[in-house]
Amino acid sequence: MDAPRKHQVSLRGASAKEITRDDLLQKVSRERELRNYAKRAAAAALFIQRVWRRFKVMKMVSLQLQQEWETMVNNYSGVKTAVWISDNLLRPFLFFMISSSTKHQKIHRKKIDSVKICFTILLESLKSSDSKQNYCFLAIGTTEERRIWSYQVQQLTSLGFLILSEFSECNSGAEDITIVTSLAMRVLVMLTDLKGWKGITDDNRLDADLAVKDLIQFLGSSKSGSYVSIARYISALDNYSSKSRIITQADENFFITTSAITLAVRPFHLTNFNVEGPGMLDVNHAVKQYIVYLLTIPWLVQHLPPVLLPALKHKSILFPCFQNLLILKENVLMEMSELDKSENVVSFKAIPPVGWALANIICLSRGNENDSIDSGSFNQGLNYALYVHVVIILAESLLACLDNIGWVRKRKALQTDVESSRQPVDLVRHEGEATNESLIMSFMDQFRPVCQQWHLTNLLASINRDASNKAETLLSNSVESLGKLDLCDIALFYSNLIRIFSVLSPIRGSLPVLNMLSFTPGFLVKLWGVLEVSFISGDKHISDNHKSGNVKQKALEKMQKQVSKDGTNKWVSVLHKFTGKSQTATGDTDPTGNHSEPSRVNEDSSDIWDVEPMRHGPQGIPKDMFSLLHLFCATYSHLLLVLDDIEFYEKQVPFKLEQQRRIASMLNTLVYNGLSHVSSHHNGFLMDCAVRCLHLMYERDCRHPFCPPDLWLSPARKSRPPIAVAARTHEILSANLRFDDSSASLSVGSVITMTPHVFPFEERVEMFREFIKMDKASRKMAGEISEPGSRAVEIVVRRGHIVEDGFRQLNSLGPRLKSSIHVSFVSESGLLEAGLDYGGLSKEFLTDISKAAFSPEYGLFTQTSTSDRLLIPTASARYLDNGFQMIEFLGRVVVTEESFGKRHVVELKSGGKDISVTNENKMQYIHAMADYKLNQQILPFSNAFYRGLTDLVSPSWLKLFNANEFNQLLSGGNYDIDVDDLKNNTRYTGGYNEGSRTIKIFWEVLLPHVIKGFEPEERCMLLKFVTSCSRAPLLGFKYLQPPFTIHKVACDVPLWATIGGQDVERLPSASTCYNTLKLPTYKRSGTLRTKLLYAISSNAGFELS
């Protein structure tokens, strides 16, 4: 085959590039498209020209016709019969008005006079009793007259609402448009009211009634534009209470408003809605338009005069609205969402239209506006079941809208900013937030009825009514269930409202409704009764072991009374903020010893507290119980904040302690499994409330136990991950977590953060140590840690000025205080002490500086007046030099006021120094004083300490422990040591062994049951002498590194001296770097005891060698 040629010769004799078949087809297709486009463009141009010519001709003809019409009307002196009005007045008038006016075009100023003339003549005709002069009689005339009359009144109706719409946009002081609008409304009201027709007899009443119904049906259709215009008019009104106009103007505006409302409700009376019994549901277009356009008007109730509100609140209006919303909810909600996109009708501000519909329905369902908060009521005849179901539908739609527009994320971001900021809430908001906040608060004011107790009690009372009551069986089979009300419906009602309040105003939004729910007698008990039957009673484990649980709890409470109090909690008050857990009084620690000794989880007992229906988290909860559980958690967590211990433990209200244990077990199982299994973000609101309620119950149990320890460990008994895996997962997620990454937070890592108590205390300590190892490894990779001894901070500290010297030399290091510190002590005699710091001296320094700085004598902290003698920052610390910086430094090291003879006046409120405390304001004073003493006064010091502590220790690590556990983590065991544990974990060097005589004497002296043995305080002093810390390691001496060591110091004593009663004179010494006691070879216990006590009491170390 010949090779392909690059060029070919065309028939025309010229050389051309070869075109493939595909290229040729594309070229032909493009040319065809160009020709078609040219044809369409030419046709469009002709159409535009035709329309434009028509418009010009119509405009010219209408202007000419208007002039002729005005001349004719002004010069006419005959009788204005109905026929003359139809043929000579309205026919040309409607032509030149409608032909040159549209719904989106304002009425020309020149035509206002024509409108005024026409409606004045028409109004006079409607008032006439003469059948020949009354225009309405054409509606019962000949067929042609009826047809023409029907067309003309429909056009007049559309024109009247067009005038009303324009009136809402113009200046309210324009007198001409006000008069014209008033005339138009009067005409429409008379045309649509058969009772206003003059001269109608029984013979023609039926025909007249049909004509009026046809007109009202048109009025309720979208063609008339009635509801759009009324909505624009009402939304443009000022709040009724703020109006300040002249009397005549106010009268006209009031009449226009009254007429607009009258016309809006006319279609509702077209069909006889039987609100008392069953019947077919007449779902007409007018009711839907009323809902979509009028009920979505922002602040509808506030825009209208109070005298008009009963018309909108009547059951004949609300009942059809409820029916439409329940049956056509998808259609109605879709039209509402379209309104939000266009905003051609009204401006909805920042709230979606469905939100305003929800608020307006709640306001309209309330009875007399003058009722007080305690004596409020619903409208007479209101169907509670339909009302509840409608509110549920609208609330769920509003929540979906807010979620779609990202409102939830924005408001959570604001809440995070507020919580993390030290500034007042108002100063944290970004630019423009104040305006939005004002709008939101104004919107939420519309929900005041649902925050009042009468609202809830009336709904609860309706549940107990006879199910066969007609008011509950008024719907057809398709929606029969919506006519009934149960506790789950009410729970869903309030659950949705709480979510709305929380989304719109996370800081304070849901407080009013939660206050009401929490303190409504018996409501929480009702909720728990249903939940207990659904989840607890059906759980075989808990129900079968209920009695055994009671026996164990009685033993727990008996042991609780025998627990003696000690001073281990002196730091608890200060550390309360950091752990995120409640303050735990020492006397209320776990009586079984779980906090101080390794706990052993009893698998059989812990299994009874694992609530089986909750083992799948929120996904396993039935739909009807979901909202009820959310409402219970939200309400009870709010009540727990103010429920004191007398009510909780002694009076046992609202629940018995056994019920409290069941609630705790249910929440514990739910939260653990909800966090362990990745779930939908739609379950987040339930999990948030459940976690909050669980934390409050756990904090109370930490302070004053009412639950067995196995209850908190139960959910994770079989499924908790290994310690190393859990710790590393937690750290990875903490590093990578993003604000909007909700799925990442639902994992093992969040289990550790949210519910660390499901892990035994020993395992959490191991996690903490794992965190420290990982932190050291990461700092080593970053070059912050090198070989031992290098890059260490060298400091010299005088023993008499340990706090001042430590602060001066170390405060500037900040987070770098994690690095190695080498300490050299200067004795009280001014001489540099012997010895090198390989870790022991730095431990001693950190221990001593903490002891000295936290001492009340130093002036930074003071002790409470309670028997616990807890430490809290003193208010006078702010007047010390570097007071705040000192407290911040201590955070790194450990992890009307009167001061100095001067009196400082602090105003509890603005101008408070000039306000005397009286019987009327004494409660305000008490609350203000308590807030100042417990919150404001201590906050700066707590923040300073917190900043210092979190420079070295991650806050997420601290949240693993409650306050008492953290105190143990920081300070070690109790104020005594377990001699047997120390003996079993002691190493001997230099020639000593367990059988050595001196070693046997040593242990005899230490034992507590020996007559001349060491006291607990002396044993702790010995431990500090050897290790620089007076507390035992948290989980026993096996965790002490390096191990406790006793090294032999050989001392030769002449035989005659021993026989004469002499013993070794040398004092014992210590190497705290290696936890080593250098013990001479004493022969007598008395000598060993005396020498050892002298050494440990001398506040010295190496120089004793």
Side-chain angles (χ1 to χ4, degrees), residues 287-421:
V287 176
K288 186 174 70 173
Q289 284 208 107
Y290 177 89
I291 298 170
V292 172
Y293 292 110
L294 264 61
L295 291 186
T296 58
I297 296 175
W299 301 287
L300 172 63
V301 173
Q302 285 71 26
H303 283 309
L304 297 176
V307 70
L308 299 181
L309 294 179
L312 302 184
K313 293 182 175 185
H314 196 266
K315 59 184 179 181
S316 62
I317 306 300
L318 291 180
F319 182 80
C321 291
F322 291 168
Q323 286 182 327
N324 266 260
L325 275 168
L326 292 173
I327 298 174
L328 300 177
K329 60 181 180 180
E330 291 84 3
N331 194 302
V332 173
L333 295 176
M334 184 180 297
E335 292 198 20
M336 286 185 183
S337 64
E338 294 297 325
L339 280 180
D340 194 24
K341 296 177 182 177
S342 62
E343 284 205 1
N344 287 331
V345 181
V346 297
S347 175
F348 297 105
K349 313 297 182 184
I351 307 297
V354 67
W356 293 112
L358 172 63
N360 289 331
I361 284 180
I362 289 176
C363 290
L364 292 173
S365 298
R366 183 183 176 178
N368 189 357
E369 291 293 326
N370 295 325
D371 288 341
S372 64
I373 292 178
D374 297 328
S375 61
S377 62
F378 286 108
N379 288 334
Q380 185 177 4
L382 179 73
N383 185 279
Y384 294 169
L386 295 184
Y387 164 71
V388 168
H389 289 297
V390 165
V391 171
I392 290 172
I393 290 173
L394 295 177
E396 290 176 346
S397 179
L398 175 59
L399 286 169
C401 290
L402 296 176
D403 187 43
N404 290 336
I405 63 178
W407 192 299
V408 178
R409 292 187 294 273
K410 289 188 287 186
R411 302 303 290 181
K412 280 188 176 180
L414 173 62
Q415 183 180 17
T416 303
D417 291 343
V418 171
E419 291 175 350
S420 62
S421 174

Side-chain angles (χ1 to χ4, degrees), residues 949-961:
L949 182 64
T950 54
D951 273 347
L952 303 186
V953 183
S954 171
S956 63
W957 302 357
L958 302 179
K959 290 182 179 179
L960 292 175
F961 309 97

Side-chain angles (χ1 to χ4, degrees), residues 11 31 82 233 344 478 495 534 643 710 803:
L11 296 178
E31 292 175 350
Y233 169 74
N344 287 331
S478 60
S495 172
S534 301
L643 199 66
D710 290 338
V803 179

Side-chain angles (χ1 to χ4, degrees), residues 976-977 979 1006 1008 1014-1023:
D976 198 359
I977 60 175
V979 178
L1006 251 65
F1014 273 23
E1015 297 296 329
E1017 182 179 357
E1018 294 170 338
R1019 284 191 288 271
C1020 292
M1021 291 171 62
L1022 170 65
L1023 188 62

